[in-house]
Structure formats: C-alpha cells, structure tokens
Amino acid sequence: MDLSLATWSLNRLLRNTDKPIVYLDVPAMVRQHFGIEALELNNVFFAARDGDYLRKLVAAAEKAGVRLLNIAVDEQGDLSSADPSARELGLERYGAWIPIAAEMGIGAIRANSGGRAVADKPAGDPARVAAEQACIDSLRHLCDIGKKHGVAILVENHWGLSADPGSLARVVAAVRQSHGNDAAGTLVDWGNWPQHIDRWDALRQVFPYAMAVHAKVNDIDENLNHPSFDHARCLQITREAGYDGWLGIEYEGRDDPMTGIERAVRKLRALL
C-alpha cells in the first residue's frame, strides 16, 4: 500500500481568486513537494473536456511520473431520486465522464449516490427501499457504459443514501451481482461518517467492495496527532479487509492545504 492524493485536497488553492494554481501543474507539484506518485482527479477542476486538454493533462502526469487513478465526479442529478427526470439528468451528466476517463487511460470514476431526501429514514422505510432500488438501477446503467469503456463506477460514503453503510453495501452488492466485481465498488472514506454511525462497524460493512480508499486527514496537528478518530485503527481495518491498493490522502481542514497534506504524508507513511 502506498499514498496517493485526492486533488480535492487542493481545492482552495485551485479556486484562489488572486493566483490560483493551474490543474496542469498539479502532478509535478505533488510529486516534487510530497513525493506522491498517484492522483485522484476531480472533474470540477478540468479547464476543458476536449481531447487536446485531456492529452495535456495526461502528458503532465506522465512527465511527472504520476499515475492517474480515477476521476471523482460531482454533477447535477440524483441517482437515487424518486423523480425520473432527476435520475436521467444524473445518468447523462455522470455518464459523460466515462468515455473521458477511458480516453485518459483512467480505470474508474466516482459517482455520488444522491438520496439526500432519504438520508434520515431508517432501514426498511419504503422511501429508503425505493431510493436504494433507484440507485441500483442507475448504477447498473452507468456500469453498462463503463463496461464498454473499461471504466469502473465507484460510490463513496459521501452523503445522502451512501452515508448509511448498510444502504451503500446493499446497493454495490446488487450491482456487482448483475455486472461483476470489476464493474462497481466502493470508494471507502475513513472519515465521512455521520456522528451517530459506528465508524468501525461501518468500515467493515463497506470494505468488502472497496476499490479505492480515502484517508481523511483534516485535523492532524503539528505533532501529528489526529483527535477526530484513530488512523491506525482505520489502517488496521483496511488491511484486515485485504485491501492493498492506493491510500488516498484527502485534506479539507482549516490549515494551509500544503501544510495539511505534508503532515498527512508524514503521519501516514509512518503508519504504513
């Protein structure tokens, strides 16, 4: 297992109104400053979607010796909605990124489950059951496209329906049953669980389907302590699940992102 970086960690620098960093410069910067050799891209930072820009982004990564792992896609539309038009919009918007990933030689995209309307409803509630089935149907449609392009569909424990580990596990298991284990999986974030969720049980529920992992590192202090939750225990559960892929740093804390990422690299490399 080695460290990668979710480029969302740099979102404040990428969106800086005075002097934003350029996305094409990110691979070299990450390799130079942190010694990180793999990146998760985020679609909101792409300056364009045309072939020329995509080739430039791939070339920048190749020049820096950095591997591009997946594209985290944030788009309009709700894949779990009871409204067919909202699901159709989501399928159109997310689906458009599958051939883009394939053109760049990237093997996966991350789609959001949607389902904010049912996030507080208990398991078995008719609205939650319907939302899970809608999400399953939507992801199966995306996997139909993904299999044509060799691109897997990942779902992160992010918000909405996916914030419940049982729902997330049931949805991805159903999609795998129809489309195979290589077509869909979870992107497991150590830190994205609501306060009322048992983090350790939740991680164990969704790790059997893991194809990517985020190590959330918002609160690492100058002494490399992380008071929010136990990174070592998260790593132990990750290893117990048999995951041996990239461990993606995701920083969304209040400190300077470069400082936050640097601390995360030092802490997580020591644990690894």
Side-chain angles (χ1 to χ4, degrees):
M1 201 181 306
D2 204 352
L3 296 180
S4 60
L5 180 72
T7 57
W8 182 258
S9 305
L10 299 165
N11 78 89
R12 280 187 284 152
L13 300 180
L14 289 159
R15 290 169 161 168
N16 186 295
T17 54
D18 294 328
K19 192 177 180 182
I21 61 174
V22 177
Y23 211 37
L24 292 174
D25 295 337
V26 167
M29 183 187 77
V30 166
R31 184 64 187 269
Q32 177 182 350
H33 283 272
F34 309 117
I36 287 176
E37 300 178 358
L39 289 176
E40 173 191 273
L41 301 178
N42 192 293
N43 74 311
V44 301
F45 301 129
F46 279 56
R49 300 186 187 185
D50 61 89
D52 182 57
Y53 179 79
L54 301 181
R55 286 188 290 273
K56 287 179 179 177
L57 192 49
V58 171
E62 290 177 347
K63 184 177 180 180
V66 169
R67 180 176 173 182
L68 302 178
L69 301 177
N70 61 68
I71 303 175
V73 178
D74 294 299
E75 284 287 4
Q76 296 178 356
D78 186 337
L79 299 180
S80 301
S81 178
D83 179 359
S85 63
R87 294 198 306 274
E88 286 297 324
L89 178 62
L91 291 172
E92 177 186 345
R93 296 289 179 85
Y94 285 112
W97 283 92
I98 295 173
I100 291 174
E103 185 174 350
M104 298 178 71
I106 295 173
I109 69 163
R110 188 270 277 144
N112 290 313
S113 68
R116 290 188 192 274
V118 301
D120 295 328
K121 296 187 181 299
D125 181 274
R128 175 173 284 277
V129 172
E132 287 183 13
Q133 188 57 56
C135 192
I136 290 166
D137 293 342
S138 296
L139 292 173
R140 282 173 171 163
H141 182 87
L142 291 177
C143 285
D144 286 339
I145 303 170
K147 287 180 80 71
K148 294 177 183 177
H149 292 276
V151 175
I153 311 301
L154 309 182
V155 186
E156 182 178 359
N157 53 304
H158 208 195
W159 46 264
L161 191 69
S162 68
D164 178 84
S167 287
L168 179 54
R170 285 189 293 271
V171 165
V172 174
V175 176
R176 283 190 165 192
Q177 187 172 20
S178 60
H179 284 69
N181 291 353
D182 61 341
T186 53
L187 192 165
V188 182
D189 189 296
W190 289 354
N192 277 357
W193 301 108
Q195 290 293 327
H196 68 280
I197 295 289
D198 182 325
R199 183 185 315 277
W200 319 117
D201 178 65
L203 290 174
R204 291 188 178 97
Q205 286 188 62
V206 299
F207 253 119
Y209 314 101
M211 298 176 75
V213 177
H214 279 175
K216 190 73 86 216
V217 294
N218 295 355
D219 302 313
I220 297 176
D221 63 22
E222 62 273 13
N223 297 314
L224 304 190
N225 298 310
H226 191 266
S228 296
F229 56 87
D230 187 343
H231 278 156
R233 188 172 179 184
C234 287
L235 183 59
Q236 179 183 355
I237 293 171
T238 303
R239 285 174 162 154
E240 288 172 352
Y243 180 84
D244 194 31
W246 295 92
L247 182 61
I249 291 170
E250 187 172 50
Y251 177 75
E252 298 176 302
R254 292 170 293 181
D255 290 333
D256 174 76
M258 300 296 284
T259 300
I261 295 168
E262 189 274 332
R263 289 175 181 171
V265 169
R266 285 195 287 136
K267 179 176 178 64
L268 293 173
R269 281 203 172 130
L271 290 176
L272 289 172

